Amino acid sequence: MFATSLTRRVALAAGLLATTSLAWSHADAAHVTAENAWARASVPGQQATGAFVRLTAKEPLRLVGVETPAAAVAEVHEMKMEGDVMRMRAIDSLDLPQGVAVELKPGGYHIMLQQLKAPLLKDTQVPITLVFKDGKDAVSRLSLQVPVQAMAPKGAAAAPAGHAGHQH
């Protein structure tokens, strides 16, 4: 009887573990595609840089966070003109409507990596994880290996006129 009870408990635990594992797998599988991701190379002593990507959500989502071991602070930022002054600020979330490509690019919404732990060197990659929430506040993540470039790669959005010299 003890063996049967133990076998049932092990089977139940294994079933719960499998269910939990599937739930975590689903929660960590963001329903979004990322294209043309890149991060701007930095130089020794530079404390911040930007990363850029085109995101298309398969369901309505919000980009609510960024994680990377490369920087002490990683945030979604908005850059916009206020009068004739370009302003940049962190935002809490960025809406990603279903099926609509949203560009995170120089001069607009972008990922800001601050307090870099080491320079981001051209032709390397930086791990970046994007954190999303759906309409029910369920969290999902998309982990990327983002190529580091000195300039926007072909097909990616480049800096708008007058912004090319701004390094972040």
Side-chain angles (χ1 to χ4, degrees):
M1 182 160 146
F2 177 73
T4 305
S5 177
L6 181 59
T7 303
R8 282 189 193 145
R9 286 188 203 152
V10 170
L12 178 61
L16 287 173
L17 185 58
T19 304
T20 303
S21 179
L22 289 175
W24 279 107
S25 282
H26 181 278
D28 284 347
H31 295 197
V32 62
T33 57
E35 300 173 295
N36 298 325
W38 68 286
R40 189 180 312 275
S42 64
V43 297
Q46 185 176 338
Q47 289 297 302
T49 193
F52 315 97
V53 63
R54 179 184 311 127
L55 299 172
T56 306
K58 297 173 186 169
E59 63 182 285
L61 293 173
R62 289 174 289 130
L63 175 60
V64 297
V66 181
E67 301 166 348
T68 181
V73 177
E75 301 171 320
V76 180
H77 274 210
E78 172 185 46
M79 187 171 259
K80 66 180 181 179
M81 292 298 294
E82 290 181 2
D84 46 341
V85 176
M86 182 72 80
R87 301 253 186 231
M88 182 172 54
R89 67 180 179 90
I91 58 174
D92 293 330
S93 67
L94 176 61
D95 288 334
L96 302 175
Q98 180 177 349
V100 176
V102 176
E103 286 279 349
L104 279 69
K105 61 185 179 182
Y109 294 111
H110 59 279
I111 297 165
M112 193 73 193
L113 306 177
Q114 300 173 86
Q115 298 174 29
L116 294 173
K117 295 179 181 178
L120 297 188
L121 302 176
K122 182 179 180 276
D123 298 328
T124 62
Q125 292 188 343
V126 60
I128 295 177
T129 299
L130 304 178
V131 182
F132 304 92
K133 283 190 178 179
D134 66 13
K136 296 178 182 176
D137 281 340
V139 175
S140 60
R141 288 176 165 73
L142 179 63
S143 295
L144 305 170
Q145 287 295 322
V146 178
V148 178
Q149 304 292 326
M151 299 173 59
K154 199 172 211 176
H163 185 70
H166 182 80
Q167 296 293 311
H168 64 82

